[in-house]
Amino acid sequence: MTDGAILSIRKLARHFGGLRAVNDVSFDVPRGSIFALIGPNGSGKTTLFNVITGALAPTAGTVVFDGAPISGMPTHEIVRRGIGRTFQNIRLFTRMSVFHNVWVAMRRQPRSGNGARSERERVEELLALTGLSARRDELVENLNFGEQRRLETARALATDPSLLLLDEPAAGMGAVELARLVRDIRRLRELGKTIFLIEHTMHLVMDVADRIAVLNFGEKIAEGTPKEIQADPRVIEAYLGREHANA
Amino acid sequence: MLDATEQFINGLMFGCLYALIGGGFTILFGVMRRFNMAYGSTIMAGAYVALVPVYLFRAPAWLMVLTGIAAAVLVGLLVEFCCFRFIKKGHELAPLMTTIGMLIVINEAIVHATDAVGLKYPSPFGDVALELGQFLVRRDYLAVLVAGVVCFTLIFLLLYRTRFGRAMRAVAERPEAAQILGVSVRRVNVLTFVLTSALAGVIGFFAAVSVGSARPDMAFFVTGKGLVVMVLGGLGSLPGAIVGGLVLGVLEFEATWFLGATYRDILAFVILFLVLVFRPQGLVGTRTT
């Protein structure tokens, strides 16, 4: 719609039989922003990610990425257009080393001289970026939880996405890892990536996001800056109120 | 005990054929998590079609192998298209039924085309046994050994040294994660069929050479051995298929020597039974592809 949007969700719906997991949802993710999608458990956030990445076909509506509709395309084609993703439950290749997990995601580059060498270098760069260089030859099972999450991010970055979808990147993280995550997300934005994340950790979202959309029972109930969202009575009722009560 | 030793050597060499059969089943199972019961008939189709150039002119062995590979790849693509491509996700057992159907169709086609009479196979490696020190070694078994070593070397190089191989390993472990990294699962599946079917062409040729004929019961025989080897080594494990194939080869030859040839074919299933009861994860037991 607007020139500034890298991703436009238009009247998107995904139903499972009678269950309306996502219903009539529209919003834009501005290019170069950090955009967060929040909502209670089961509100349709991961379903929305699955529709964006082509794992699920939409029941209705469209997804426009970089000006072109991508709904209905196979996942690998969507990835090649520039969308990367991490999973809520970590899905690394446990039989491969840290290095190979990232290397798998390397696409064939236009041949410009020493192709194979630069591919290795790019893997090393991503491992350095995510602080995993020292662990490059370890098997995945020897990494701690935070390292595994960072490896998933490194792997997603290997597909060279312009839009990176992070599904609950802070889940299970301690304070130190969380601080590192905030730093990493900001650094990725500085590198020109647009970040679109699902997150439950409220202070992380409020801290790092430029814009927030809120889902409840599959429908968008609010959208705005962190300040606006925190003040929105519908959000407080659906989500923040309970979250704060528990905190 | 010289003859028992000789049987051991023969068993190892012939076991390479079993290892290749098990390897073919295993690669496809590893990547797709599906059984291809038509694999035996793909092998048999390769063995039969490899004879065509022999009927036309005095074709050399390499031309027979290439013809067998080409035929088996075509059959394999047919199997993929008919039995796998349109089966929806989540119907893991459906291809088991469709491929059994295809197994019957291909077998019947061959039976009708040849009046169910076995066709004599040339012996391109010569009939005279080779004397290696004190042992007599059959040249066709030696050829099987070489074929086994060459094929497995190529397969491991492909899996661990190429872009396609790493995509295959990624799809084998986590198809949904491979997809989100830009790998086309369908493309990997089809190319896995091409790879395993090409292997089937090689197997078909060497199996028929070492038996001396192409017979319509070959698919049944090969399927039985392949499944036994696969389970013996550990489902989905390629090193397991190699170990399982060699073990089965040796045991069969020793059984023939000590018990008599009639016990040979029942042995595979006795071993299968014992492994399933006492070591259900297989001899090698790690799940690597």
Side-chain angles (χ1 to χ4, degrees):
Chain A
M1 278 293 226
T2 50
D3 287 342
I6 189 167
L7 185 77
S8 295
I9 310 289
R10 286 285 163 271
K11 294 189 173 299
L12 199 71
R14 171 67 207 203
H15 302 168
F16 297 100
L19 174 73
R20 298 174 169 199
V22 173
N23 202 29
D24 198 26
V25 170
S26 302
F27 59 83
D28 285 344
V29 176
R31 190 180 296 276
S33 68
I34 297 173
F35 191 96
L37 185 64
I38 64 172
N41 280 325
S43 58
K45 304 182 299 294
T46 296
T47 302
L48 190 67
F49 266 23
N50 285 337
V51 173
I52 293 171
T53 57
L56 291 171
T59 307
T62 51
V63 179
V64 178
F65 175 67
D66 252 348
I70 57 166
S71 15
M73 278 186 187
T75 299
H76 67 269
E77 182 57 40
I78 292 172
V79 172
R80 285 171 198 187
R81 282 168 177 258
I83 298 183
R85 183 213 174 142
T86 65
F87 293 99
Q88 183 181 348
N89 49 338
I90 297 172
R91 298 185 190 179
L92 294 164
F93 301 111
T94 54
R95 293 175 205 147
M96 299 183 195
S97 69
V98 168
F99 181 90
H100 281 90
N101 263 277
V102 180
W103 190 55
V104 163
M106 283 283 160
R107 299 254 60 81
R108 196 187 295 279
Q109 293 295 304
R111 288 279 166 206
S112 56
N114 45 0
R117 213 174 79 84
S118 73
E119 197 170 86
R120 290 195 152 267
E121 283 171 358
R122 279 165 55 223
V123 176
E124 300 288 0
E125 263 172 40
L126 289 172
L127 291 178
L129 183 74
T130 47
L132 291 168
S133 292
R135 312 286 271 158
R136 65 188 295 282
D137 296 320
E138 290 282 351
L139 279 178
V140 166
E141 58 186 6
N142 298 330
L143 298 187
N144 68 38
F145 193 70
E147 288 172 327
Q148 292 193 5
R149 284 225 173 274
R150 299 211 301 274
L151 179 55
E152 257 218 348
T153 308
R155 195 175 69 169
L157 289 172
T159 64
D160 200 18
S162 47
L163 173 66
L164 183 62
L165 311 185
L166 302 173
D167 196 345
E168 295 200 28
M173 280 191 173
V176 177
E177 288 165 333
L178 217 55
R180 175 170 183 130
L181 178 67
V182 171
R183 215 175 65 217
D184 285 349
I185 290 175
R186 292 202 169 116
R187 186 150 51 157
L188 289 176
R189 193 241 303 264
E190 283 161 25
L191 290 172
K193 312 283 182 199
T194 304
I195 309 292
F196 180 11
L197 68 149
I198 292 175
E199 194 41 70
H200 275 300
T201 315
M202 259 325 123
H203 63 269
L204 172 82
V205 172
M206 295 306 167
D207 189 19
V208 85
D210 304 317
R211 272 187 90 72
I212 300 172
V214 188
L215 285 190
N216 195 24
F217 295 112
E219 307 207 358
K220 187 178 87 172
I221 57 168
E223 187 189 339
T225 63
K227 270 216 174 66
E228 290 164 355
I229 293 300
Q230 274 170 312
D232 194 311
R234 282 166 306 177
V235 179
I236 293 165
E237 185 194 327
Y239 195 91
L240 287 179
R242 210 174 36 183
E243 181 80 9
H244 281 182
N246 291 344
Chain B
M1 291 306 286
L2 187 60
D3 287 323
T5 315
E6 200 168 279
Q7 290 299 311
F8 182 85
I9 295 169
N10 280 328
L12 272 187
M13 292 192 293
F14 200 72
C16 287
L17 193 63
Y18 292 159
L20 286 173
I21 298 168
F25 274 101
T26 295
I27 293 169
L28 200 97
F29 178 80
V31 172
M32 297 182 73
R33 298 285 140 195
R34 307 277 192 280
F35 280 105
N36 175 11
M37 295 301 289
Y39 194 60
S41 51
T42 310
I43 291 174
M44 183 165 73
Y48 270 93
V49 179
L51 276 176
V52 170
V54 177
Y55 283 105
L56 299 178
F57 55 96
R58 281 176 53 88
W62 62 265
L63 188 62
M64 292 180 70
V65 176
L66 286 186
T67 310
I69 290 175
V73 167
L74 286 179
V75 170
L77 288 173
L78 184 74
V79 172
E80 194 276 334
F81 187 80
C82 296
C83 307
F84 287 84
R85 182 164 297 191
F86 302 107
I87 305 284
K88 290 205 169 67
K89 234 194 277 184
H91 294 70
E92 274 73 17
L93 290 178
L96 197 61
M97 300 315 293
T98 54
T99 53
I100 288 176
M102 187 56 92
L103 172 80
I104 295 169
V105 168
I106 296 172
N107 287 9
E108 283 301 307
I110 287 174
V111 164
H112 280 276
T114 62
D115 294 330
V117 180
L119 302 180
K120 190 176 172 348
Y121 232 71
S123 47
F125 306 107
D127 291 324
V128 186
L130 203 65
E131 246 179 276
L132 286 180
Q134 56 202 140
F135 302 113
L136 281 178
V137 177
R138 280 177 57 169
R139 287 166 193 267
D140 49 353
Y141 285 10
L142 208 55
V144 167
L145 172 73
V146 172
V149 172
V150 170
C151 286
F152 274 115
T153 305
L154 289 177
I155 288 167
F156 278 106
L157 283 177
L158 177 87
L159 280 176
Y160 291 94
R161 289 281 179 274
T162 69
R163 191 178 296 271
F164 175 62
R166 77 191 187 203
M168 264 176 92
R169 286 185 292 132
V171 171
E173 189 176 340
R174 290 185 180 275
E176 76 295 340
Q179 233 166 4
I180 203 67
L181 302 176
V183 174
S184 163
V185 172
R186 165 160 292 179
R187 182 166 167 272
V188 168
N189 285 347
V190 170
L191 287 175
T192 301
F193 257 95
V194 171
L195 170 73
T196 54
S197 303
L199 183 64
V202 176
I203 296 168
F205 171 80
F206 283 97
V209 163
S210 57
V211 175
S213 63
R215 296 202 312 258
D217 61 353
M218 189 176 172
F220 173 75
F221 172 82
V222 159
T223 305
K225 304 289 178 187
L227 294 179
V228 169
V229 168
M230 199 177 168
V231 176
L232 197 58
L235 268 187
S237 161
L238 207 46
I242 297 175
V243 171
L246 297 180
V247 167
L248 182 64
V250 168
L251 289 177
E252 279 194 1
F253 274 76
E254 296 294 355
T256 309
W257 173 248
F258 285 108
L259 303 172
T262 45
Y263 288 92
R264 179 176 167 156
D265 283 337
I266 198 171
L267 185 75
F269 294 97
V270 173
I271 298 168
L272 179 65
F273 176 78
L274 293 176
V275 167
L276 284 177
V277 170
F278 294 109
R279 207 179 151 77
Q281 76 273 34
L283 295 176
V284 173
T286 50
R287 295 170 64 91
T288 49
T289 302

